[in-house]
């Protein structure tokens, strides 16, 4: 049970950390100043979630690892984030597509987790649910504007949605860890998050004059630590300085 | 009372000039230029630090750095707001920046080469900026003064976090201490240049002071900055790269060595180490974002049409 | 003109904020946004850093009619005028030093 809880907290934390890292790349590059502030706000929220969850994972694990040990000293095969969040930013359309898929999922997830049997997860979820409600609204607003804006924005948004669609499936897969925890009332059963996700997605895409992609979902591998080739580069950038000075304080 | 007399009376009694007041055209032009260049500096300043967000060596430092860079975007926004009260649009000001017709603080034409530069920039560059900015809170032009008050409130944590980074590095491993010292060695002199040319070479100072835009001369602020930094450097356990730094008992100030004004002139003119990179980055972000801005505008127009037709 | 930003596309909005325990909305600045919904979102991000319990108003700048009690310029129409004396978005001739 403890090992499961550690794995679960780490998984949620890794999702948030990797997406925060991707959003950090937008700083000083956003299409407008106001949007730069907005994306960084979202990134900061996610980073806060990551720190809370990874710290908790380290605490429960009881091996003396803190948030930085987990963020900076694990390797590719030890990270359990979903593949969706590690995909590169590409253009703003792809970034918004990724935000739409992921923040809609996160809202369902955290709303469910507010009722977790684990007090810490419930508390993290209560705070995070408010944050990701905002994230989802932001993604929704932009999906509407890009989908129903110009021909070019419609095409780019559509491309982003289609390119990232294969990774959406992993969000709703349940492995044994999550099945056990869900049975114990600690975790949210990913399959139960699907309905709310579908409804919001369908409504948003319809209003945005975008077609819902209909390709197949790839089977998830991130929860087992098998990532895309992007992950190595992401970690190299995130970790190198910390690793270069073992044991140093910053 | 006619406009000029009202304006003069307001300046003489240190009152605010507001957007709807009469003002000399030269006053308006000076402010547009100064506020715009201040705003541009905040935006360009996001780059050297923004570079290090993805490589910050701890999650706490990453969060603090993201928040700091985000503040800078916000400061740019407040300042463009203030400039727009003078009859220009942000788009026009951006065009001028992109065309090289308006400038930004030349300090940002230096590269942020190591993590320790985050500390040096916070301690020295933000420190110098604060020294310039606090007096601006009493600037005669209301919107600029109010923007500066807001900025100064948020700025205090920036300098502290830079100082904290250097403090931790200085007391860390040998490699970390060396990193910190190297960064200070590279950022010290450029920070002194942030206060502008020496008073006897500064064309604008007299008029700006007469209009209560500027409250202290370049040299006064530069001296104040040096006096503040010397004891701080000692607390940090780091040296300043000036062999001529000496306490002057008579003046009660720290005497310091000659600033390389040629370097400042070169960097202002465009020959700084990172000038090209800063502008290319800004231009590219702007160009790549055009389709997004157009989409949002198009959507708004469509919605208006639909609502009108309904 | 190619590459020219449609500045009419992201017009200027004035932002008013009432702090959590405040009595009234105060003018805090302005921002650019394509529509009201985004103006509100951006105002939250930029002017309140998303503090809770804060009330925000955003108003298109050109929807505001202004007057000042002791008008310093007698040539101003005392019945009310734009928020800013100088017309926004006027064209600066090329080559003019700004």
């Amino acid at each position: 049970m403890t090992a499961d809880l550690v794995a679960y907290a780490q998984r949620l934390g890794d999702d948030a950390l990797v997406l925060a890292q991707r959003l950090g790349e937008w700083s000083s590059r956003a299409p407008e100043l106001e949007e730069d502030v907005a994306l960084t706000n979202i990134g900061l929220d996610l980073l806060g979630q990551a720190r809370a969850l990874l710290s908790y994972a380290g605490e429960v694990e009881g091996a003396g690892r803190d948030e930085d040990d987990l963020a900076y000293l694990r390797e590719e095969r030890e990270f359990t984030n979903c593949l969706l969040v590690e995909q590169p930013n590409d253009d703003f359309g792809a970034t918004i597509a990724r935000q739409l898929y992921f923040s809609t999922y996160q809202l369902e997830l955290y709303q469910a987790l507010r009722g977790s049997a684990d007090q810490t997860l419930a508390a993290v979820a209560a705070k995070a649910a408010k944050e990701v409600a905002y994230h989802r609204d932001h993604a929704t607003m932009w999906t509407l504007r890009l989908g129903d804006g110009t021909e070019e924005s419609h095409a780019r948004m559509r491309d982003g949605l289609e390119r990232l669609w294969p990774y959406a499936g992993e969000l709703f897969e349940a492995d044994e860890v999550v099945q056990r925890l869900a049975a114990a009332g600690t975790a949210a059963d990913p399959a139960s998050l699907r309905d709310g996700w579908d409804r919001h997605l369908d409504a948003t895409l319809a209003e945005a004059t975008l077609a819902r992609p209909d390709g197949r979902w790839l089977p998830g591998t991130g929860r087992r630590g098998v990532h895309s080739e992007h992950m190595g580069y992401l970690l190299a950038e995130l970790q190198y300085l910390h690793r270069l000075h073992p044991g140093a304080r910053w | 009372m006619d406009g000029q007399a009202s304006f003069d009376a307001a300046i003489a009694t240190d009152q605010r000039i507001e957007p709807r007041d009469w003002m000399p055209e030269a006053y308006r032009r000076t402010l547009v230029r100064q506020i715009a260049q201040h705003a541009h500096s905040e935006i360009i300043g996001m780059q050297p630090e923004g570079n290090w967000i993805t490589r910050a060596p701890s999650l706490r430092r990453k969060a603090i750095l993201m928040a700091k860079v985000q503040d800078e975007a916000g400061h740019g926004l407040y300042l463009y707001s203030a400039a727009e009260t003078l009859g220009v649009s942000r788009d026009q000001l951006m065009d001028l920046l992109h065309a090289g017709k308006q400038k930004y603080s030349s300090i940002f034409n230096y590269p942020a080469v190591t993590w320790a530069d985050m500390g040096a920039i916070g301690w020295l560059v933000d420190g110098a900026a604060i020294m310039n900015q606090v007096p601006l809170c009493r600037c005669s032009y209301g919107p600029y003064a109010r923007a500066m008050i807001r900025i100064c409130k948020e700025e205090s944590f920036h300098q502290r976090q830079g100082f904290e980074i250097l403090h931790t590095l200085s007391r860390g491993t040998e490699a970390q201490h060396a990193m910190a010292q190297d960064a200070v060695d590279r950022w010290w002199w450029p920070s002194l240049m942030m206060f502008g040319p020496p008073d006897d070479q500064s064309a604008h100072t007299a008029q700006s002071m007469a209009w209560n835009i500027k409250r202290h001369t370049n040299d006064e602020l530069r001296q104040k900055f040096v006096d503040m930094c010397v004891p701080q450097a000692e607390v940090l356990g780091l040296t300043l790269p000036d062999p001529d730094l000496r306490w002057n008992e008579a003046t009660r100030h720290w005497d310091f060595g000659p600033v390389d004004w040629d370097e400042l002139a070169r960097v202002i003119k465009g020959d700084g180490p990172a000038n090209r990179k800063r502008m290319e980055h800004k231009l590219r972000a702007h160009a790549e974002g055009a389709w997004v801005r157009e989409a949002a505008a198009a959507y708004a127009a469509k919605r208006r049409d639909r609502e009108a037709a309904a | 003109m190619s590459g020219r930003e449609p500045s009419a596309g992201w017009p200027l909005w004035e932002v008013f904020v009432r702090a959590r325990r405040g009595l009234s909305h105060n003018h805090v600045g302005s921002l650019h946004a394509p529509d009201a919904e985004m103006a509100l979102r951006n105002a939250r991000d930029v002017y309140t850093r998303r503090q809770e319990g804060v009330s925000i108003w955003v108003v298109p700048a050109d929807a505001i009619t202004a007057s000042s009690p002791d008008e310093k310029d007698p040539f101003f129409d005392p019945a009310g005028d734009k928020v800013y004396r100088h017309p926004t978005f006027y064209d600066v001739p090329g080559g003019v030093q700004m």
Side-chain angles (χ1 to χ4, degrees), chain A residues 63-77:
Chain A
R65 290 205 283 182
D66 67 9
E67 65 189 31
D68 286 338
D69 293 323
L70 289 168
Y72 291 93
L73 298 177
R74 281 182 298 153
E75 297 181 19
E76 289 83 349
R77 296 286 277 104

Side-chain angles (χ1 to χ4, degrees), chain A residues 109-172:
Chain A
L109 170 74
Y110 285 133
Q111 279 174 342
L113 275 181
R114 281 180 310 195
S116 171
D118 181 286
Q119 302 291 47
T120 304
L121 286 182
V124 170
K127 176 167 187 261
K130 287 188 224 173
E131 294 170 348
V132 304
Y134 178 87
H135 302 177
R136 193 188 73 167
D137 276 349
H138 171 270
T140 303
M141 269 177 31
W142 273 112
T143 301
L144 294 177
R145 281 150 184 78
L146 298 184
D148 195 14
T150 62
E151 269 180 45
E152 178 174 7
S153 70
H154 181 95
R156 286 178 182 257
M157 187 69 211
R158 183 200 60 220
D159 287 348
L161 287 165
E162 284 179 6
R163 248 200 333 274
L164 295 170
W165 180 251
Y167 302 107
E170 183 168 24
L171 301 173
F172 307 106

Side-chain angles (χ1 to χ4, degrees), chain B residues 142-160:
Chain B
Y144 192 21
R146 287 189 288 275
M148 290 317 305
I149 290 171
R150 186 176 261 279
I151 288 172
C152 285
K153 260 196 247 180
E154 295 177 2
E155 198 75 52
S156 55
F157 112 86
H158 293 185
Q159 194 195 14
R160 259 201 328 271

Side-chain angles (χ1 to χ4, degrees), chain B:
Chain B
M1 245 212 273
D2 81 340
Q4 179 74 62
S6 294
F7 175 83
D8 291 341
I11 297 294
T13 53
D14 210 10
Q15 283 177 68
R16 297 282 153 270
I17 307 295
E18 294 296 344
R20 288 168 51 82
D21 296 333
W22 184 93
M23 60 186 78
E25 184 51 27
Y27 176 85
R28 192 188 75 85
R29 255 203 324 272
T30 294
L31 278 170
V32 166
R33 188 173 185 79
Q34 180 168 332
I35 299 172
Q37 296 193 156
H38 194 164
H40 298 326
S41 297
E42 294 283 352
I43 303 316
I44 300 294
M46 291 168 70
Q47 289 182 38
E49 293 170 295
N51 262 334
W52 280 92
I53 285 174
T54 55
R55 295 175 291 166
S58 77
L59 296 186
R60 177 170 170 264
R61 288 290 171 211
K62 193 194 284 287
I64 292 173
L65 189 57
M66 282 172 78
K68 178 178 199 274
V69 174
Q70 184 191 46
D71 272 358
E72 282 152 20
H75 294 173
L77 277 165
Y78 304 156
L79 289 164
Y80 286 124
S81 263
E84 286 191 272
T85 66
L86 288 162
V88 286
S89 72
R90 194 209 293 179
D91 283 341
Q92 285 174 313
L93 299 176
M94 282 301 186
D95 285 347
L96 290 166
L97 172 67
H98 294 157
K101 295 210 174 103
Q102 276 181 345
K103 301 203 167 296
Y104 53 90
S105 180
S106 55
I107 191 73
F108 299 118
N109 291 322
Y110 292 89
V113 188
T114 70
W115 170 253
D117 288 37
M118 297 301 99
I121 290 173
W123 177 46
L124 296 174
V125 176
D126 286 314
I130 288 171
M131 204 129 267
N132 268 322
Q133 279 165 192
V134 168
L136 284 172
C137 295
R138 297 182 296 124
C139 166
S140 54
Y141 188 57
Y144 192 21
R146 287 189 288 275
M148 290 317 305
I149 290 171
R150 186 176 261 279
I151 288 172
C152 285
K153 260 196 247 180
E154 295 177 2
E155 198 75 52
S156 55
F157 112 86
H158 293 185
Q159 194 195 14
R160 259 201 328 271
Q161 75 101 4
F163 188 86
E164 204 196 11
I165 289 176
L166 288 177
H167 196 262
T168 308
L169 291 174
S170 182
R171 278 155 184 68
T173 66
E174 258 183 62
Q176 285 179 305
H177 181 96
M179 201 198 295
Q181 185 59 67
D182 168 72
V184 169
D185 288 346
R186 281 181 289 103
W187 286 91
W188 173 248
W189 289 106
S191 299
L192 294 193
M193 295 176 201
M194 282 177 73
F195 297 96
D199 292 348
D200 56 17
Q201 285 171 42
S202 177
H204 304 291
T205 293
Q207 180 63 88
S208 284
M209 289 187 73
W211 279 332
N212 293 342
I213 294 174
K214 200 173 166 66
R215 299 285 182 173
H216 303 281
T217 70
N218 294 351
D219 288 339
E220 278 169 8
L221 291 172
R222 191 173 3 253
Q223 182 64 68
K224 207 166 158 208
F225 178 70
V226 173
D227 291 342
M228 179 183 77
C229 289
V230 172
Q232 286 180 349
E234 207 168 333
V235 171
L236 287 173
L238 298 169
T239 61
L240 296 172
D242 183 356
D244 296 321
L245 212 43
R246 205 153 282 113
W247 177 248
N248 186 322
E249 193 54 48
T251 61
R252 317 272 318 148
H253 289 296
W254 285 91
D255 288 340
F256 53 96
V259 177
D260 184 350
W261 298 114
D262 286 340
E263 180 180 329
L264 175 62
R266 275 196 317 272
V267 172
I268 286 177
K269 218 167 35 118
D271 289 341
N275 287 58
R276 183 157 305 171
K277 181 173 191 231
R278 299 293 177 239
M279 280 316 297
E280 279 175 1
H281 180 116
K282 180 73 182 59
L283 286 163
R284 188 169 59 235
H286 190 79
E288 288 179 358
W291 69 268
V292 177
R293 297 189 296 273
E294 280 157 25
Y299 178 82
K302 281 191 203 178
R303 266 224 310 223
R304 275 195 301 274
D305 292 344
R306 278 184 217 135
E307 276 160 25

